[in-house]
Amino acid sequence: MKIVYFVLLCLAVNISFAQIKVEGVVKDSIGNALELANVVAINQETKTLDSYGITNSDGHYKLSLSKNSNYKLQVSYIGMKAGEVLLETKDVPITKDFILENDNALDEIELVYEMPVTIKGDTIVYNADSFNKGTERKLEDVLENLPGVEINEDGQVEVEGKVVNKLMVNGKDFFDGDTKLATKNIPSNAVDKVQVLRNYSEVGQLSSVTNNQDNVALNIKLKEGKENFWFGNVTVGGGASPDNELYLVQLKLFYYSPKFSLNFIGDLNNTGELALTRRDIRGFGGGFRAPSRGSGTTINLGDNGLNFLTNQNNALEIENKLAASNFSYSPNKALDISGFAIFNSSRILSKEKSFVQYTDADLGIPDETTEQNSKERSNQGLLKLSTSYKPNASNQLDYDILGRFSKDVQTQNLFSSVVGNTNQLDEVTPFSINQNLNYYYTLNETNIFAFEAQHLIKNEDPFYNALLVNNPSNNDDTDPEDRDAFDNTADALGLNTTLNNYDLGQNRHIKSNQLDAKLDYYNILNAKSNINLTLGTILSRQEFNSNIFQFLEDGSQFNPTPTFNEGRATNDTEYNFSDVYVGMHYTLKTGKFTFTPGFSLHAYGNKNSQFGDAFKDKFFRFLPDFETRIQFKKSESLTLRYTMQNQFTDVTRLAQGLVLNNFNSIQFGEPDLQNALSHNVSLFYSSFNLFNYTNVFGRISYSKNIDQIRGLTNFENVIRTSTFFNSNFADENVSANGRVQRTFGKLRASLSANFNYSKSNQFIQGRQSLNERFTQGYTPELRTNFRIAPNVRLRYRYSVSDNNLGTTSNTFVTNAPSIEFDAYIWKALTFRTEYTYTNQDSDTQPSQSFETWDATLQYRKNQDAKWEYEIRASNLLDIDSRVRNSASNIAVSNSETFIQPRFVSFRVRYQL
């Protein structure tokens, strides 16, 4: 690794010595500096664009050119006649100024290039071919080449530190609500331009009166010839692994015309390559945003789906099926109809070994070694239909409906050194229907009305079954050490202890029905200020039913009647919540500053009924918020934001009856739980300087939670029982993250850093403990961007986690260097490889490390060839598992997760 770093450093030095600096100033005819003028250098021998630059606020530009070469410098600016000059470079810097005339001459200079980057207001336009190296295959590869654009660890697109929440192709939505389907599947050779739309507003009428600073969208412009007919590719492949024959079939079809677009993505494989993970599907919102998102109220409806044991990157076997289709249709200029359908099916086999050491001797919890094997089956579907009607500039009506369903099953075999063997089954078949209705009306130049309403119906029905071994002969022993680990819990639950097994079952049913609506009125007072008045409401109803039972040996069910928790092994709870609020916000722009103070006044009411009792609460709350933005330049800003939020829990934490999260985690709620209040402050800085190709962003935030809802946990061996209560101990969290990225000729360097300090209070066995965690991480990166030479990306991830957890403290240090290499050879071969070494040290656990190495070799005759052949190898070192150390306030643990073995596959791809 050190040798590679040294070679790359020498390469950078050689490049810098082989070039000279050309700089100057661009002005108009009366001497005013022209900011954001484009300056390019065309090599007269190769007729290629060697360098480009954009002027800063002083009209200054700077280029790096090769020595002893002839160039044509061309300068362009919107509304001005382009200028050009022939230039011969020697071995000394050159200064060359330009004066541009108004564009009123008959003879114009013909521009023989396409500018790599142009800026038009809040839109940045990248010419994809100016950054491509020839090894790109999908949109994700194109985006990673662009300055200021990143693909984060979750696969999301980030621009200047902000996550892109909307992606379009030729102005039409592409699976609204997620960008991964686009970045992983749109072929790179179809991409002409990438438009970054900053301060993006989906409603043009509100663009001048709403804060869109955090909204970033991408629009992908297709190349000429990719419209009015199908394009895409078909891939088939196969291979071998130690246990299974490998197969892969992928179909990616796209059709675009001015009025109609249709996209289809199909994927069938057992190689573990996933267009969308289960987590992606569950988080896929379809572009829905709650009308109350800025009101200060947050209510949690809960998530009672399965928490699968493994993610899809850490499994022994993975089979995946995906079918996704997206369409848009515009019969006329006033009406747009769009929608998508997604079906995703996965089958996963996983294995994990863990050792947990409990650090607090007073708790009396034995150390535990576990081995867990699971089979997971998941079928998930989404269906969305959207319409938007804009008969004129003053009216817009939008309607969306999103339905989702799933059927998830997980079977587990768990061996515990404390409990013994346990077989478990989890099943759930939830569904939800989400509807959105929005209407926007502009009365005149100064008065705008906006109505937004969202209705959600959600139904969840998880079933749980656990089979534990029992020895009936020792159930009467008075010494707990002579009894099975689960016997005391079985007694408390009122189970039949005379059988050879404890066969537990639990049914749960949670119904949620919520309406979230608001009416906004905007009055534009003048060019610098406006006022916004809001009237809104949230009405929510949840029903929760559950019962715990025991299967007997004859297959019948035994309903326990325990004395534990006042005999409540069932739940029949109804929870109603209401929030009626009014709000006001005032926006004032003065110079570089924009001030937006505001507040909302809420009338809350909630009631839960269970076991013949009703628990009610009504109160008012004043929630202020404030934002100040300083716009130093067009692409440099600083934003300070403060919000106060009221947080409400879901019905499952209010229900008094027992709930089995699993056999060793039992929960019951508290009907008198109150809301929690939080103070949140954040400061965000962003700068994107195309003059020196520097992208900087930084964010720091602080939150303080008051009257937080906490868990109170008690242990019986390794079996825990938890309930909830409001605590006046405040939790605090401070986090900071940022990135600096700069391009030096053909090298791009970046440094990412993150810091987090949290202080939280936990209650175990009736004792309160203050837990403090401080984590810090740094990721320096260096990558090249050559067109005719191999490219290398070097990255080093270093993180430290210091944990002061009540009676214990520990430190984890992670070092993870990695290297990516890609080469475009003879304009026909593409070779890529990636290697990562991960090591984690701990002051309480043995050092853990593992390595990953993947590689691909692709051949196509030329860029326009229809056929492509590929050999792909994953886990070349054939490692068995990945390892991880972790810590909580009562225990430290290390785990080993087994992964897929070495895979080698051959693929054939046909380009339509």
Side-chain angles (χ1 to χ4, degrees):
M1 182 65 69
K2 290 182 179 180
I3 294 175
V4 174
Y5 274 96
F6 176 75
V7 170
L8 194 58
L9 182 60
C10 292
L11 183 61
V13 172
N14 288 333
I15 291 172
S16 64
F17 279 127
Q19 294 185 322
I20 65 165
K21 182 169 67 176
V22 178
E23 60 184 329
V25 177
V26 181
K27 298 181 179 181
D28 63 16
S29 59
I30 60 175
N32 294 320
L34 297 179
E35 183 181 5
L36 302 181
N38 298 322
V39 185
V40 299
I42 309 297
N43 189 302
Q44 291 299 89
E45 181 179 352
T46 63
K47 301 300 181 182
T48 60
L49 187 151
D50 272 13
S51 183
Y52 75 95
I54 295 178
T55 58
N56 64 11
S57 57
D58 299 322
H60 185 217
Y61 74 91
K62 182 170 57 177
L63 304 176
S64 294
L65 302 179
S66 300
K67 294 180 180 180
N68 304 313
S69 301
N70 293 311
Y71 289 95
K72 178 189 288 186
L73 264 61
Q74 289 190 332
V75 182
S76 63
Y77 187 82
I78 297 175
M80 310 292 286
K81 181 181 177 182
E84 71 175 27
V85 66
L86 295 176
L87 196 69
E88 183 180 359
T89 60
K90 300 294 185 180
D91 55 359
V92 294
I94 298 175
T95 299
K96 182 60 183 177
D97 298 334
F98 289 88
I99 296 178
L100 302 186
E101 303 289 340
N102 290 329
D103 190 10
N104 53 13
L106 293 177
D107 55 330
E108 296 186 6
I109 295 175
E110 182 183 358
L111 300 180
V112 295
Y113 65 90
E114 201 159 10
M115 190 65 193
V117 184
T118 57
I119 299 180
K120 302 175 182 178
D122 286 329
T123 301
I124 303 175
V125 182
Y126 295 95
N127 180 44
D129 286 342
S130 299
F131 298 92
N132 288 344
K133 307 182 292 287
T135 60
E136 296 79 14
R137 292 298 184 273
K138 52 185 180 291
L139 175 61
E140 180 181 53
D141 302 328
V142 176
L143 296 178
E144 287 187 325
N145 294 334
L146 307 180
V149 181
E150 293 287 329
I151 306 294
N152 64 24
E153 292 183 356
D154 294 326
Q156 299 170 309
V157 184
E158 287 187 4
V159 175
E160 302 171 32
K162 301 170 185 174
V163 174
V164 173
N165 47 40
K166 188 179 187 66
L167 190 144
M168 300 170 285
V169 176
N170 278 7
K172 302 179 184 296
D173 288 347
F174 191 93
F175 291 94
D176 190 24
D178 187 83
T179 59
K180 287 181 68 175
L181 273 174
T183 59
K184 299 287 187 183
N185 293 285
I186 294 178
S188 60
N189 60 5
V191 180
D192 182 26
K193 302 287 191 304
V194 177
Q195 296 178 333
V196 177
L197 311 175
R198 299 178 293 181
N199 302 316
Y200 178 76
S201 175
E202 293 193 55
V203 183
Q205 298 172 74
L206 302 182
S207 60
S208 62
V209 294
T210 55
N211 182 358
N212 305 305
Q213 186 188 14
D214 294 333
N215 295 342
V216 180
L218 289 184
N219 182 42
I220 309 302
K221 298 289 290 183
L222 299 176
K223 289 182 177 179
E224 292 185 11
K226 297 300 182 182
E227 296 182 341
N228 298 317
F229 72 95
W230 290 95
F231 68 95
N233 56 63
V234 180
T235 304
V236 295
S241 70
D243 300 319
N244 297 305
E245 295 297 320
L246 302 179
Y247 60 85
L248 178 140
V249 179
Q250 294 176 336
L251 180 63
K252 303 173 183 180
L253 298 175
F254 309 91
Y255 176 84
Y256 280 86
S257 70
K259 286 189 174 183
F260 180 72
S261 70
L262 181 63
N263 310 292
F264 177 80
I265 299 170
D267 195 344
L268 175 67
N269 71 79
N270 65 346
T271 61
E273 300 171 37
L274 308 173
L276 287 176
T277 66
R278 288 188 307 246
R279 178 182 175 184
D280 294 332
I281 292 287
R282 293 181 66 177
F284 202 107
F288 278 67
R289 294 180 297 169
S292 62
R293 58 190 176 275
S295 70
T297 298
T298 59
I299 177 170
N300 179 18
L301 295 182
D303 183 359
N304 297 280
L306 297 190
N307 294 317
F308 284 108
L309 299 178
T310 57
N311 65 52
Q312 288 163 280
N313 293 323
N314 296 311
L316 284 170
E317 295 180 11
I318 301 175
E319 296 181 16
N320 193 75
K321 300 175 184 178
L322 172 71
S325 183
N326 164 238
F327 84 95
S328 66
Y329 176 55
S330 302
N332 54 58
K333 293 182 178 180
L335 181 62
D336 287 305
I337 304 172
S338 62
F340 62 75
I342 300 175
F343 175 76
N344 189 70
S345 177
S346 62
R347 304 290 185 267
I348 297 177
L349 179 66
S350 66
K351 178 180 178 180
E352 182 176 275
K353 293 182 179 180
S354 299
F355 173 71
V356 182
Q357 181 180 14
Y358 291 88
T359 54
D360 191 341
D362 294 338
L363 296 178
I365 308 174
D367 295 341
E368 184 181 24
T369 300
T370 63
E371 180 175 324
Q372 186 172 265
N373 294 274
S374 71
K375 293 182 179 179
E376 303 162 10
R377 301 194 306 263
S378 178
N379 296 316
Q380 298 174 302
L382 293 91
L383 183 65
K384 181 187 179 184
L385 181 65
S386 301
T387 59
S388 180
Y389 180 60
K390 304 176 186 177
N392 50 55
S394 299
N395 291 272
Q396 178 174 333
L397 178 65
D398 299 333
Y399 174 75
D400 307 276
I401 182 169
L402 173 69
R404 65 170 72 231
F405 69 89
S406 69
K407 181 176 182 180
D408 300 329
V409 179
Q410 178 173 256
T411 58
Q412 306 171 50
N413 176 262
L414 174 68
F415 171 77
S416 164
S417 60
V418 178
V419 180
N421 278 309
T422 304
N423 293 314
Q424 299 180 76
L425 169 67
D426 288 274
E427 291 182 335
V428 62
T429 56
F431 71 86
S432 67
I433 300 175
N434 202 339
Q435 299 181 82
N436 208 44
L437 178 66
N438 303 326
Y439 177 61
Y440 308 96
Y441 173 61
T442 301
L443 179 63
N444 50 45
E445 293 182 354
T446 59
N447 296 280
I448 304 173
F449 295 87
F451 173 75
E452 299 178 358
Q454 187 175 131
H455 181 240
L456 172 66
I457 296 176
K458 187 177 179 182
N459 189 85
E460 300 165 296
D461 60 346
F463 169 75
Y464 174 73
N465 175 234
L467 180 65
L468 297 87
V469 176
N470 177 42
N471 181 6
S473 63
N474 63 12
N475 288 339
D476 296 330
D477 291 344
T478 57
D479 189 346
E481 293 186 359
D482 294 333
R483 309 185 71 196
D484 293 336
F486 194 73
D487 285 344
N488 290 335
T489 302
D491 286 340
L493 290 173
L495 302 179
N496 185 332
T497 62
T498 64
L499 307 178
N500 292 322
N501 296 292
Y502 293 119
D503 197 347
L504 292 174
Q506 176 183 248
N507 288 308
R508 285 184 288 164
H509 196 184
I510 305 95
K511 293 182 179 180
S512 302
N513 193 325
Q514 180 172 287
L515 174 66
D516 187 342
K518 71 169 181 175
L519 176 65
D520 279 304
Y521 166 66
Y522 300 92
N523 181 251
I524 302 175
L525 303 175
N526 52 56
K528 299 292 185 180
S529 62
N530 65 76
I531 191 169
N532 167 219
L533 302 177
T534 303
L535 173 64
T537 186
I538 304 174
L539 302 175
S540 177
R541 174 188 174 94
Q542 286 190 292
E543 299 175 8
F544 177 45
N545 293 276
S546 72
N547 68 298
I548 299 173
F549 54 90
Q550 181 181 11
F551 289 106
L552 300 181
E553 292 179 345
D554 60 1
S556 62
Q557 293 184 13
F558 170 70
N559 296 309
T561 56
T563 58
F564 184 65
N565 197 36
E566 300 180 1
R568 293 170 178 167
T570 62
N571 278 293
D572 186 1
T573 305
E574 181 181 304
Y575 174 44
N576 291 279
F577 169 86
S578 66
D579 173 22
V580 179
Y581 62 91
V582 294
M584 184 176 76
H585 290 84
Y586 174 71
T587 300
L588 173 65
K589 298 180 181 179
T590 173
K592 297 180 179 180
F593 293 85
T594 301
F595 300 97
T596 309
F599 69 87
S600 56
L601 179 62
H602 298 254
Y604 292 109
N606 57 72
K607 173 185 176 182
N608 71 85
S609 303
Q610 49 186 314
F611 297 106
D613 296 321
F615 303 86
K616 303 179 182 179
D617 188 24
K618 292 184 178 181
F619 64 97
F620 294 89
R621 176 135 300 166
F622 177 80
L623 300 177
D625 59 86
F626 180 80
E627 180 179 291
T628 297
R629 183 170 72 252
I630 308 174
Q631 197 75 40
F632 300 106
K633 298 177 184 177
K634 291 182 179 179
S635 297
E636 183 181 15
S637 65
L638 180 68
T639 303
L640 173 67
R641 184 175 296 148
Y642 165 78
T643 60
M644 182 186 292
Q645 289 188 315
N646 233 12
Q647 304 166 349
F648 295 85
T649 190
D650 69 304
V651 67
T652 61
R653 292 190 173 189
L654 301 172
Q656 299 177 81
L658 296 177
V659 175
L660 297 177
N661 296 320
N662 52 55
F663 76 91
N664 61 3
S665 178
I666 303 170
Q667 168 189 313
F668 61 95
E670 172 53 55
D672 287 327
L673 286 180
Q674 303 299 312
N675 62 287
L677 187 68
S678 68
H679 299 276
N680 308 277
V681 182
S682 65
L683 186 66
F684 179 74
Y685 173 79
S686 176
S687 174
F688 185 50
N689 191 335
L690 281 173
F691 170 71
N692 56 14
Y693 318 121
T694 301
N695 177 36
V696 181
F697 81 87
R699 180 184 288 106
I700 183 170
S701 61
Y702 168 79
S703 64
K704 183 176 183 179
N705 295 317
I706 304 170
D707 295 328
Q708 184 81 353
I709 295 176
R710 306 188 186 282
L712 175 61
T713 304
N714 292 289
F715 279 86
E716 177 71 35
N717 282 317
V718 295
I719 300 168
R720 66 187 66 194
T721 304
S722 302
T723 187
F724 306 96
F725 71 104
N726 287 100
S727 165
N728 57 5
F729 292 93
D731 289 351
E732 297 178 84
N733 184 275
V734 179
S735 63
N737 63 83
R739 182 175 67 239
V740 179
Q741 181 188 90
R742 181 161 183 179
T743 301
F744 304 88
K746 297 299 183 182
L747 295 176
R748 184 192 298 177
S750 68
L751 174 64
S752 301
N754 62 81
F755 307 88
N756 182 266
Y757 169 78
S758 64
K759 182 175 71 174
S760 61
N761 295 269
Q762 291 191 344
F763 294 80
I764 298 177
Q765 305 285 74
R767 298 182 304 174
Q768 181 264 341
S769 64
L770 178 64
N771 302 327
E772 295 180 286
R773 297 177 185 267
F774 176 67
T775 60
Q776 53 184 316
Y778 309 89
T779 307
E781 179 181 303
L782 187 65
R783 60 178 296 186
T784 63
N785 188 25
F786 300 116
R787 278 184 173 273
I788 58 174
N791 285 284
V792 179
R793 172 187 281 186
L794 301 174
R795 180 184 297 170
Y796 193 95
R797 184 169 59 88
Y798 174 79
S799 64
V800 180
S801 176
D802 292 306
N803 307 287
N804 185 5
L805 308 170
T807 59
T808 66
S809 62
N810 50 67
T811 300
F812 296 103
V813 179
T814 300
N815 292 272
S818 64
I819 180 172
E820 296 179 30
F821 176 88
D822 69 88
Y824 188 42
I825 307 168
W826 304 315
K827 295 185 178 181
L829 283 174
T830 297
F831 175 68
R832 292 182 175 183
T833 186
E834 179 179 357
Y835 170 82
T836 301
Y837 172 80
T838 303
N839 181 79
Q840 189 176 72
D841 291 313
S842 169
D843 56 0
T844 58
Q845 297 289 322
S847 178
Q848 305 273 10
S849 64
F850 61 90
E851 302 169 275
T852 59
W853 185 19
D854 303 325
T856 62
L857 180 64
Q858 299 164 299
Y859 169 79
R860 61 184 178 189
K861 189 174 182 180
N862 53 57
Q863 292 280 2
D864 299 323
K866 294 291 187 181
W867 292 95
E868 181 174 23
Y869 308 92
E870 177 182 355
I871 297 176
R872 179 174 299 192
S874 60
N875 191 11
L876 277 165
L877 301 177
D878 202 23
I879 64 171
D880 295 326
S881 60
R882 293 182 173 135
V883 293
R884 179 174 58 90
N885 291 325
S886 61
S888 68
N889 57 322
I890 59 173
V892 294
S893 64
N894 61 69
S895 60
E896 181 182 15
T897 303
F898 292 83
I899 64 173
Q900 295 178 116
R902 181 191 296 121
F903 280 178
V904 178
S905 60
F906 176 75
R907 297 126 190 261
V908 178
R909 183 175 297 110
Y910 179 74
Q911 193 79 29
L912 298 179

